[in-house]
């Protein structure tokens, strides 16, 4: 599970997460867990949301409501709240909240149940699925269970003074509860020089580095071209390298899983099974 959190100023964490999901080398679960209201479906997949192909009422909120009497997270209960992503069939989407007011219906226990379910999710073919989680801007309502359980927590930042200054208190607070090996930076809309400056200013390793690429960013953040990602672009090349590295580093297969041939990716690949 890889979780991205942002400071002030919309540094590009949601777009980065969408880019990673679009090129992830295996089935992946994309969870929009911003307590202030999610942007993944309204942004990248807005046309599909308007058309009703993706349902706004099926996701984080419906899972919290359906499991409100449960005492623990159940991966099997999560399956019916995950929807396929038309532009990327290997991605399953857990739609986020549509407004900040819906956050009160989740509760700390709801986030804890969701965290356990995300961490233990399996595809219909029975293989573990990685989870990419967007918790939005860091603040009082941030769902800590999704940060504490993550294999990697990345703080999104742009190479500007404003975003670097906004990231500092976030990193300081996260570092009090998350070990340094699991905490890093997602530098967005950057250049090699910008990335170097961000690392020098903040003193943390770079987990993901995304270059400036306005055309592809507009697809992933505003749903241009119905959310269909281009075959080639600087942003997706960088995302593909990062996705392969992160998946290879943090997704540990058991010997039994290694003997099972990888399933063919289909639109319903994430709809099924327990871990």
């Amino acid at each position: 599970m890889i979780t991205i959190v942002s400071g002030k100023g919309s540094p590009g964490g949601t777009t980065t997460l969408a880019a990673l999901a679009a090129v992830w080398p295996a089935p992946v679960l994309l969870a929009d867990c911003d307590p202030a209201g999610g942007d993944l479906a309204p942004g990248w997949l807005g046309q599909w949301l308007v058309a009703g192909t993706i349902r706004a009422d099926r996701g984080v909120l419906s899972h919290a409501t359906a499991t409100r009497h449960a005492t623990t997270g159940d991966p099997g209960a999560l399956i019916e709240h995950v929807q396929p992503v038309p532009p990327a069939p290997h991605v399953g989407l857990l739609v986020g909240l549509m407004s900040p007011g819906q956050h009160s219906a989740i509760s700390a226990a709801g986030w804890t149940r969701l965290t356990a379910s995300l961490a233990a999710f399996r595809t219909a073919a029975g293989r573990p699925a990685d989870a990419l989680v967007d918790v939005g801007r860091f603040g009082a309502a941030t769902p800590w269970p999704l940060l504490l359980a993550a294999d990697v927590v990345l703080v999104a930042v742009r190479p500007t003074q404003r975003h670097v200054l906004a990231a500092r208190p976030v990193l300081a607070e996260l570092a009090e509860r998350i070990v340094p090996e699991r905490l890093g930076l997602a530098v967005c809309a950057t250049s090699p020089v910008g990335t170097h400056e961000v690392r020098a200013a903040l003193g943390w390793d770079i987990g993901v580095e995304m270059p400036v690429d306005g055309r592809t960013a507009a697809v992933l953040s505003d749903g241009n071209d119905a959310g269909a990602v281009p075959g080639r672009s600087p942003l997706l090349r960088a995302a593909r390298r990062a996705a392969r590295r992160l998946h290879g580093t943090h997704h540990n297969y058991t010997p039994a899983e290694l003997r099972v041939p990888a399933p063919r990716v289909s639109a319903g690949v994430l709809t099924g099974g327990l871990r």
Side-chain angles (χ1 to χ4, degrees):
M1 183 160 64
I2 297 168
T3 300
I4 287 186
V5 61
S6 301
K8 294 187 290 186
S10 301
T14 298
T15 300
T16 294
L17 208 62
L20 289 172
V23 297
W24 202 258
V28 64
L29 186 57
L30 182 58
D32 195 343
C33 299
D34 185 345
D39 288 327
L40 278 167
W44 179 23
L45 306 169
Q47 179 172 319
W48 304 96
L49 191 63
V50 171
T53 305
I54 291 178
R55 292 171 48 186
D57 62 346
R58 185 177 168 199
V60 171
L61 183 60
S62 64
H63 174 268
T65 301
T67 63
R68 62 187 180 278
H69 298 303
T71 56
T72 59
D74 178 5
L78 184 61
I79 296 163
E80 60 191 68
H81 306 279
V82 175
Q83 303 180 62
V85 172
H90 66 289
V91 181
L93 175 67
L94 193 66
V95 172
L97 305 178
M98 290 294 111
S99 70
Q102 293 179 334
H103 173 253
S104 60
I106 306 297
S107 77
W111 290 120
T112 299
R113 294 193 303 273
L114 178 59
T115 300
S117 297
L118 286 171
F121 192 80
R122 272 185 179 269
T123 70
R127 294 183 66 109
D130 300 315
L132 303 178
V133 183
D134 185 1
V135 298
R137 179 175 168 176
F138 185 78
T142 294
W144 272 97
L146 290 164
L147 295 170
L148 298 176
D151 295 286
V152 180
V153 175
L154 299 175
V155 177
V157 59
R158 289 194 183 211
T160 68
Q161 290 183 355
R162 178 168 64 97
H163 287 101
V164 167
L165 291 173
R168 281 179 174 168
V170 176
L171 286 162
E173 190 161 348
L174 292 175
E176 293 181 358
R177 302 178 65 180
I178 297 172
V179 296
E181 293 78 13
R182 295 197 295 114
L183 185 59
L185 301 173
V187 189
C188 313
T190 188
S191 65
V193 172
T195 301
H196 175 77
E197 292 176 347
V198 168
R199 182 172 183 175
L202 294 176
W204 287 90
D205 288 338
I206 309 298
V208 173
E209 178 182 358
M210 295 294 179
V212 176
D213 182 353
R215 180 180 178 182
T216 304
V219 171
L220 298 169
S221 63
D222 299 316
N224 289 11
D225 300 327
V229 293
R232 297 179 181 179
S233 78
L235 180 61
L236 291 182
R237 283 197 297 271
R240 189 171 286 107
R241 290 193 298 269
R244 289 173 176 170
R245 174 173 48 79
L246 290 167
H247 174 75
T249 301
H250 299 286
H251 189 127
N252 299 316
Y253 291 102
T254 67
E257 289 166 346
L258 289 172
R259 290 194 296 269
V260 178
R264 294 182 63 187
V265 172
S266 66
V269 73
L270 285 174
T271 309
L274 303 182
R275 181 179 283 182

